[in-house]
Amino acid sequence: MTDSPAADWLRRFTTTALDREPDLTALDQAAGDGDFGANIAGAARLIQSELDGLVAGTPAAEVIAAAAHVFLDRVGGTSGPLFGLLLQEFAAATVKAGDLTPAALTEGTTNGLAAIQRVGEAQVGDKTLVDALSPAADALKALPPSTPLTEAFAVAARAAEEGAEATAGIRARRGRASYVGDHAIGVTDPGAMTIGLLFAAGT
Amino acid sequence: MTDSPAADWLRRFTTTALDREPDLTALDQAAGDGDFGANIAGAARLIQSELDGLVAGTPAAEVIAAAAHVFLDRVGGTSGPLFGLLLQEFAAATVKAGDLTPAALTEGTTNGLAAIQRVGEAQVGDKTLVDALSPAADALKALPPSTPLTEAFAVAARAAEEGAEATAGIRARRGRASYVGDHAIGVTDPGAMTIGLLFAAGT
Amino acid sequence: MSRYFAESPDDLVDAGLAGFALAHADLVEFTPDPGHVTARSPDPRRVVGLVSGGGSGHEPLHAGFVGAGMLDAACPGRIFASPHNRQVYAASKAVAKPGGVLHVVKNYTGDKINFGIAAERLHHDGIRCARVLVDDDVATDSADIAVGRRGTGATVVVEKLLGAAADQGRDLDALVALGERVAAGSRSVAVAAAAHTSPATGTPAFDLPDDGIEYGVGIHGERSGAVRPHGPVDDLVRDMTGSLVTALTLTRGDRVIGLVNGLGRTTPLELYGLHHRFATALAEHGVALERHLVGSVVTALDMHGFSLSLTRTDDELTALWDAPAHTAAWPA
Amino acid sequence: MSRYFAESPDDLVDAGLAGFALAHADLVEFTPDPGHVTARSPDPRRVVGLVSGGGSGHEPLHAGFVGAGMLDAACPGRIFASPHNRQVYAASKAVAKPGGVLHVVKNYTGDKINFGIAAERLHHDGIRCARVLVDDDVATDSADIAVGRRGTGATVVVEKLLGAAADQGRDLDALVALGERVAAGSRSVAVAAAAHTSPATGTPAFDLPDDGIEYGVGIHGERSGAVRPHGPVDDLVRDMTGSLVTALTLTRGDRVIGLVNGLGRTTPLELYGLHHRFATALAEHGVALERHLVGSVVTALDMHGFSLSLTRTDDELTALWDAPAHTAAWPA
Ligand SMILES: Nc1ncnc2c1ncn2[C@@H]1O[C@H](COP(=O)(O)OP(=O)(O)O)[C@@H](O)[C@H]1O
Ligand SMILES: Nc1ncnc2c1ncn2[C@@H]1O[C@H](COP(=O)(O)OP(=O)(O)O)[C@@H](O)[C@H]1O
Ligand SMILES: [Mg+2]
Ligand SMILES: [Mg+2]
Ligand SMILES: [Mg+2]
Ligand SMILES: [Mg+2]
């Protein structure tokens, strides 16, 4: 078990994801197909065992890359590869910055959003995790360079949570929720909510 | 439509059977397989259309034989052929007596019971229609020869109904209800109850 | 509650049979009155016609097993009600061969009576007729039940082996002997986690506690009286397997054909998972699972449950199992 | 509520696949990690490997259609979750032939993404790879849905016709053209009278009024938003048929292959009855039902519902339909 800030962040995320699995399942059940909670929880367990296997002092980029690979190579669904693309961009930005800095967070979020939109073609307002990720990227880009990492995470989390909350009011145009029409109204998008959980885990 | 006593009797029986179909279904559901009500109701509808087709003045034996043939040749289940055997003996006894007399009723019931026991091997206490038919036969045999037909029917009905009621207290040794063990306790045997309905229709 | 996609219990049977006949017109012919299904292309070597039947609600049994290599005819009754004797009589007349007719009958009073009356009529017509009774269900092996064990899942095994033997031109006595041997060597046990939907009422035929399993249920949804909690599936399968092994007094090295049968709404994933556990449990007993079938072949409408069956086998029976059959539901 | 006979959603998939592999060891080989099933005896004339896959819970799709005459490999994901790209990549590598690999993909974002990443990796390895997208569900043909129509029941028709064509040695471009033509000529619509049981919670995935039918449901149990009363079944089938005829702009004399597909707990009697009604409704449109399949082949766990599918056919496609296939679930 490592104790680097990156590992702590991801471990906290996995704990929250497992705690919240029933809520995420219920949301995807109400306006989707019910597998989102299990998918994210499965990923969380795999990431925990990856983190357990890392030696102390593993560079932040490698820690994040390990989680990215879990999502990319071992988790299916729509959400698996999309979260993988996001974490992969976090890892790349962390390599570039030399550590998980606020700048790396901003760049990772921005590039992760771009990659997710290239692959999934969702726009803000389609009721997907893009509705949380996009405002988070905007909020991070607006921060002064000197912002401490935990505060940057907090700002991103707040923006993502607000974006996620807004998804409750709309029908979906993409993802499984797009098939259920008005049944999606009143239901927060679980993918967007999980983006909020990911950032909040860094605070 | 005929108006002979035999036809009236059988028509009243079909009306009651159709009225009571849900109860019979529920009893067979609670301690059997749930098809008894539909089976008897199906027979009742077929008998009604046979009765409708008979010319006025058709001899009682032929009327009863028509109903017997419906049961024997067009109704399955356990109950179909057993009711057919009973009615066939009623018809034979009616031929012998020249009409549906109290003596014919007694002989038909006695011989019907014997036929049903030859084929189905049930004894009193096995929780089958024999539990109603056997006391009915006994009660009929004990009647003075001068008893009017409707009273004979009434006596047989009372004995059959008492026999049927007694089936509620016991587990079954034959029929589908024998598979359900203690679930049969508290449930009146629907076949026995229907024997009561058959006699009661003659009163 | 979930209503069937049919107008009534009778429509469920009548439309279902009409559609079956339409879908499999190459394999079978359907006579609506008295209702029976006959095979279009039986093996020309057959000298005995094979007839079975019973209440509807167990599909694909029996009509799905009419065809070359299995049954010559099937008589479907109303839902859970034995066919009437005229159905059996007409079907038997239609497929009787020089060596007569063999009835494969599940051990239920109604089936025995109706097939029995038909047999009397056939004898009267000078047609040889014999019966093989299937009574495989260990849950009904009890002194309290005067009518003996119910006939359930193993019926399909009996029909397959008899069909292959009939194709070899075996005569009636030989087929009866074989059928009795197979039936005597077959046992089944069934459990349910939810009742079937009664077509008469549109509601579950019985209630179970949320976490309960009815152990020893019948294919008409007859309750067993024994409810156990929904514990580890491994334990459940091990207990069921043990009861079959005991009933057949199987010992190490004995050879069996195994059937994992869904009772209606049990999913293929569940059935295959149960098959895996069944194979493991049999291996623990040292019993050789030589052949197997996994699927919903003897059902109880939409019951959520399954049965496990074992049939003792040997080289002869295994060869009969492997013989080709071409019917609507036999996996070719 | 009725719990599955499995310890957990993951066990439902894992034990189910292990049992499937055990039951059909003659037909398929199963690699647990990354999970995929491959055919043991593909036709030697094939020059292109056929791969499909998707979330589990739709059995027998896709693993049940792996074998001679249909798929070379299938990648089963977790329940209702697309397989991950490494499963698709490994399966494709395992069955790639000189002419490359063809992916048959149901139109869902997750499937497209995961098959898409695998395709990138295959290209990187110098393996030709193309895709046929199945998007047959008319209920999702709406301007409000940016991702287009879902892929549902017609997938099995596409897999059958492509399999037969691959057996003739057709190359990748020819198969893509054929697959696109079949997919473009296929439409489906599904209804449910009761939701599937969620394996995560053990409760119905959605509630319907006692007398309600969800019209336009998805194979992951996605609700349609349109509930109608459980009226005459004839009317329901006529409306569903009409929507398919309209979507395919079929006119008198057009020829089709029809599929009546159970979504899980729908009984054979219901399905055959629906087939009878479907055939009648098609006849009213003057459309020739040239071939058909009736069964539960593309399911949604234990949902009580059914789908109807039509595929335009011609002499070429009908001949491909008639070609032999030997898989666990194709009716031989
Ligand atoms: N095109 C898309 N772009 C970005 N995110 C998407 C897209 N489609 C769906 N999602 C996200 O995926 C989540 C659902 O993931 P999951 O349950 O794994 O997939 P599926 O919908 O295939 O079952 C949704 O909550 C939504 O946030
Ligand atoms: N061996 C028997 N002798 C006489 N009557 C019997 C016997 N077995 C069952 N019955 C009667 O049959 C009735 C059930 O008939 P039915 O529902 O048609 O048959 P099944 O039990 O085959 O579903 C029972 O209520 C009982 O009265
Ligand atoms: Mg989902
Ligand atoms: Mg009954
Ligand atoms: Mg019955
Ligand atoms: Mg999904």
Side-chain angles (χ1 to χ4, degrees):
Chain A
M1 183 161 168
T2 67
D3 52 357
S4 72
D8 285 350
W9 163 48
L10 290 173
R11 193 177 290 280
R12 270 196 303 271
F13 170 62
T14 62
T15 309
T16 326
L18 290 169
D19 281 354
R20 301 293 296 279
E21 177 180 353
D23 308 335
L24 298 172
T25 296
L27 290 173
D28 197 35
Q29 192 70 269
D33 61 352
D35 62 336
F36 182 80
N39 210 38
I40 294 293
R45 276 185 289 267
L46 291 170
I47 292 171
Q48 287 183 343
S49 89
E50 288 296 311
L51 294 177
D52 290 346
L54 293 179
V55 294
T58 302
E62 280 179 38
V63 173
I64 302 171
H69 280 122
V70 164
F71 271 115
L72 283 174
D73 260 8
R74 294 161 75 185
V75 185
T78 302
S79 49
L82 296 184
F83 276 87
L85 290 175
L86 176 60
L87 287 169
Q88 183 166 269
E89 293 298 339
F90 280 138
T94 303
V95 168
K96 219 172 109 186
D99 202 354
L100 178 57
T101 62
L105 187 62
T106 304
E107 185 174 323
T109 304
T110 307
N111 292 349
L113 172 66
I116 285 171
Q117 290 193 295
R118 275 196 306 276
V119 169
E121 297 174 20
Q123 302 301 320
V124 171
D126 284 353
K127 189 165 181 148
T128 72
L129 54 82
V130 166
D131 289 9
L133 200 56
S134 177
D138 292 343
L140 285 168
K141 279 184 278 193
L143 285 181
S146 58
T147 314
L149 181 63
T150 50
E151 194 177 323
F153 265 122
V155 165
R158 213 149 39 232
E161 284 156 13
E162 275 168 26
E165 273 159 36
T167 62
I170 55 177
R171 295 165 121 242
R173 281 180 44 81
R174 292 192 177 269
R176 296 247 159 213
S178 66
Y179 304 135
V180 307
D182 286 343
H183 287 295
I185 291 179
V187 182
T188 304
D189 179 68
M193 180 183 278
T194 306
I195 295 291
L197 300 179
L198 180 65
F199 287 117
T203 62
Chain B
M1 183 159 171
T2 67
D3 52 358
S4 73
D8 284 350
W9 165 47
L10 289 173
R11 193 178 289 280
R12 269 197 302 271
F13 170 62
T14 62
T15 308
T16 327
L18 289 169
D19 281 355
R20 301 292 295 278
E21 177 181 355
D23 307 337
L24 298 172
T25 296
L27 290 173
D28 197 36
Q29 193 69 267
D33 61 352
D35 62 335
F36 182 81
N39 209 38
I40 292 295
R45 275 186 289 268
L46 291 170
I47 292 170
Q48 287 183 343
S49 88
E50 288 297 311
L51 295 177
D52 289 346
L54 293 179
V55 293
T58 302
E62 280 179 39
V63 174
I64 302 172
H69 280 123
V70 164
F71 271 115
L72 282 173
D73 260 10
R74 294 161 74 186
V75 185
T78 301
S79 50
L82 296 184
F83 276 89
L85 290 176
L86 177 60
L87 288 169
Q88 184 168 267
E89 295 297 339
F90 280 137
T94 303
V95 168
K96 216 171 110 188
D99 200 353
L100 179 56
T101 62
L105 187 62
T106 304
E107 183 173 324
T109 304
T110 306
N111 293 349
L113 172 65
I116 286 172
Q117 288 192 297
R118 276 197 305 276
V119 168
E121 296 173 19
Q123 301 303 319
V124 171
D126 284 354
K127 189 165 182 149
T128 71
L129 53 82
V130 167
D131 289 8
L133 199 57
S134 177
D138 291 343
L140 286 168
K141 279 183 280 192
L143 284 181
S146 61
T147 314
L149 180 65
T150 51
E151 195 178 322
F153 266 122
V155 165
R158 212 150 38 233
E161 283 157 11
E162 274 166 28
E165 272 160 35
T167 63
I170 56 177
R171 297 163 121 242
R173 280 180 45 79
R174 293 193 175 267
R176 295 244 160 217
S178 66
Y179 306 135
V180 307
D182 287 342
H183 287 295
I185 292 179
V187 182
T188 304
D189 179 67
M193 180 182 278
T194 306
I195 294 292
L197 300 179
L198 179 64
F199 287 116
T203 63
Chain C
M1 127 152 198
S2 188
R3 281 176 47 177
Y4 290 101
F5 291 104
E7 300 308 340
S8 66
D10 282 344
D11 177 55
L12 189 57
V13 176
D14 293 335
L17 285 172
F20 177 82
L22 188 66
H24 302 291
D26 53 331
L27 289 172
V28 299
E29 189 165 356
F30 172 57
T31 306
D33 188 29
H36 61 282
V37 171
T38 53
R40 284 204 193 272
S41 318
D43 192 301
R45 292 169 301 172
R46 283 204 179 188
V47 298
V48 173
L50 269 190
V51 178
S52 191
S56 289
H58 307 304
E59 293 66 28
L61 195 77
H62 297 270
F65 300 117
V66 170
M70 291 186 75
L71 298 175
D72 292 292
C75 311
R78 304 279 98 196
I79 296 289
F80 289 173
S82 307
H84 55 72
N85 80 80
R86 213 164 44 94
Q87 292 178 261
V88 180
Y89 175 63
S92 302
K93 291 272 272 193
V95 303
K97 306 218 169 352
V101 184
L102 180 60
H103 291 169
V104 179
V105 181
K106 302 197 289 306
N107 184 32
Y108 294 107
T109 304
D111 288 336
K112 283 173 72 178
I113 292 175
N114 288 293
F115 276 84
I117 299 174
E120 297 296 336
R121 296 175 75 168
L122 293 166
H123 291 149
H124 190 264
D125 294 350
I127 295 174
R128 282 200 71 195
C129 176
R131 166 190 293 184
V132 168
L133 202 66
V134 185
D135 60 345
D136 52 322
D137 178 29
V138 300
T140 46
D141 205 336
S142 150
D144 291 342
I145 301 171
V147 291
R149 292 184 302 265
R150 287 179 291 225
T152 61
T155 310
V156 68
V157 178
V158 175
E159 291 178 358
K160 176 64 183 75
L161 301 184
L162 280 176
D167 280 355
Q168 295 174 344
R170 298 198 201 180
D171 68 17
L172 191 58
D173 293 339
L175 291 175
V176 169
L178 176 76
E180 286 176 349
R181 181 159 82 86
V182 174
S186 296
R187 290 295 184 282
S188 302
V189 60
V191 300
H196 68 272
T197 305
S198 160
T201 63
T203 55
F206 58 83
D207 289 316
L208 269 173
D210 258 14
D211 208 42
I213 286 190
E214 191 80 24
Y215 189 99
V217 76
I219 56 172
H220 287 196
E222 312 99 306
R223 309 195 58 169
S224 63
V227 176
R228 53 189 263 174
H230 204 309
V233 184
D234 280 342
D235 293 353
L236 178 66
V237 171
R238 212 177 268 123
D239 290 352
M240 294 170 73
T241 307
S243 72
L244 302 181
V245 167
T246 302
L248 289 173
T249 62
L250 295 173
T251 54
R252 302 195 83 75
D254 280 347
R255 301 154 61 185
V256 292
I257 296 170
L259 168 63
V260 177
N261 172 54
L263 290 175
R265 71 189 267 196
T266 316
T267 60
L269 283 178
E270 291 172 282
L271 294 179
Y272 283 116
L274 292 163
H275 172 64
H276 192 254
R277 291 176 156 116
F278 191 28
T280 304
L282 285 167
E284 286 168 8
H285 288 279
V287 170
L289 181 57
E290 192 159 293
R291 292 293 185 275
H292 59 266
L293 179 62
V294 182
S296 294
V297 291
V298 181
T299 58
L301 289 170
D302 65 349
M303 185 184 282
H304 184 204
F306 67 96
S307 63
L308 300 179
S309 303
L310 287 181
T311 298
R312 262 184 194 281
T313 192
D314 54 28
D315 289 347
E316 182 198 1
L317 299 187
T318 295
L320 293 172
W321 179 263
D322 290 343
H326 198 47
T327 80
W330 185 257
Chain D
M1 127 153 197
S2 188
R3 281 175 49 176
Y4 290 102
F5 291 104
E7 299 308 339
S8 67
D10 282 345
D11 177 55
L12 189 57
V13 176
D14 293 334
L17 285 172
F20 178 81
L22 189 65
H24 302 291
D26 53 329
L27 289 173
V28 300
E29 187 165 357
F30 173 56
T31 306
D33 188 29
H36 60 282
V37 171
T38 52
R40 284 204 193 271
S41 317
D43 193 302
R45 292 169 301 173
R46 282 203 181 190
V47 299
V48 174
L50 270 190
V51 178
S52 192
S56 289
H58 307 305
E59 293 66 30
L61 194 76
H62 297 271
F65 300 116
V66 170
M70 290 186 76
L71 299 175
D72 292 291
C75 310
R78 304 279 96 196
I79 296 288
F80 289 173
S82 307
H84 56 72
N85 81 80
R86 214 165 43 94
Q87 292 177 263
V88 181
Y89 175 63
S92 302
K93 291 273 272 194
V95 303
K97 304 215 169 356
V101 184
L102 180 61
H103 290 170
V104 178
V105 181
K106 301 197 290 307
N107 184 32
Y108 295 108
T109 303
D111 288 336
K112 283 174 70 178
I113 291 175
N114 288 292
F115 276 85
I117 299 174
E120 296 296 335
R121 295 175 75 169
L122 292 166
H123 291 150
H124 189 264
D125 294 350
I127 295 173
R128 281 199 72 193
C129 176
R131 164 189 294 183
V132 168
L133 203 66
V134 185
D135 60 345
D136 51 323
D137 178 30
V138 299
T140 44
D141 204 336
S142 150
D144 291 343
I145 301 172
V147 290
R149 292 185 302 265
R150 288 181 291 226
T152 61
T155 310
V156 68
V157 179
V158 175
E159 290 178 357
K160 175 65 183 76
L161 301 183
L162 279 176
D167 280 355
Q168 296 175 342
R170 297 198 202 180
D171 68 15
L172 191 58
D173 293 339
L175 291 175
V176 168
L178 176 76
E180 286 176 350
R181 181 159 81 87
V182 175
S186 297
R187 289 293 185 281
S188 302
V189 60
V191 300
H196 68 272
T197 305
S198 160
T201 64
T203 54
F206 58 83
D207 290 316
L208 269 173
D210 258 16
D211 208 43
I213 286 190
E214 191 80 27
Y215 190 99
V217 76
I219 56 172
H220 286 198
E222 312 98 304
R223 308 194 59 168
S224 63
V227 176
R228 54 187 263 172
H230 204 311
V233 184
D234 279 342
D235 293 353
L236 178 66
V237 170
R238 212 177 267 124
D239 290 352
M240 293 169 75
T241 307
S243 72
L244 302 181
V245 166
T246 302
L248 289 173
T249 60
L250 296 173
T251 54
R252 300 195 84 75
D254 280 347
R255 301 154 60 185
V256 292
I257 296 170
L259 168 62
V260 178
N261 172 53
L263 290 174
R265 72 189 267 195
T266 316
T267 61
L269 283 178
E270 290 172 281
L271 294 180
Y272 283 117
L274 292 163
H275 172 64
H276 191 255
R277 292 175 156 118
F278 191 28
T280 305
L282 285 167
E284 286 168 7
H285 288 278
V287 171
L289 181 56
E290 192 159 293
R291 292 292 185 277
H292 60 266
L293 179 61
V294 181
S296 294
V297 290
V298 180
T299 59
L301 289 169
D302 64 351
M303 186 184 281
H304 184 205
F306 68 95
S307 62
L308 301 179
S309 302
L310 288 180
T311 299
R312 262 185 195 280
T313 192
D314 54 28
D315 291 346
E316 181 198 0
L317 299 187
T318 295
L320 293 171
W321 179 263
D322 289 344
H326 197 47
T327 80
W330 185 256

